[in-house]
Amino acid sequence: RLQPIRTAGEIQAKIIIQPLQRTPLYQRLAKKVQELFLLGMSFRAIAKSLGVSKKTAIKAYRYASSK
């Protein structure tokens, strides 16, 4: 037996999106990035060793330096 296709407007749904309360990655890495940078490592090398982008490593360093 065939049934008609329901469109999104016909289906009622209640969706609750909970905000995440996690600390951003760059903030969690800030101290380690600062230590490695002070040891003479480049941001590229730091990023590669931590498995993040160079941009994230730079952002983490700037965050640590501003504290």
Side-chain angles (χ1 to χ4, degrees):
R1 176 169 176 228
L2 297 175
Q3 293 185 352
I5 298 173
R6 293 185 178 187
T7 63
E10 296 174 338
I11 300 172
Q12 293 184 2
K14 184 175 182 180
I15 300 172
I16 300 172
I17 300 175
Q18 300 287 336
L20 295 176
Q21 300 281 331
R22 292 179 24 171
T23 306
L25 178 61
Y26 76 93
Q27 289 180 5
R28 288 184 276 153
L29 295 176
K31 185 176 179 180
K32 186 68 175 176
V33 169
Q34 188 176 39
E35 289 172 1
L36 295 173
F37 185 77
L38 292 174
L39 290 173
M41 288 181 72
S42 68
F43 287 120
R44 177 182 285 167
I46 293 169
K48 187 174 181 180
S49 69
L50 296 176
V52 297
S53 71
K54 181 179 170 184
K55 184 176 179 180
T56 301
I58 293 169
K59 190 172 183 178
Y61 179 77
R62 288 181 179 159
Y63 176 77
S65 297
S66 69
K67 290 182 89 177

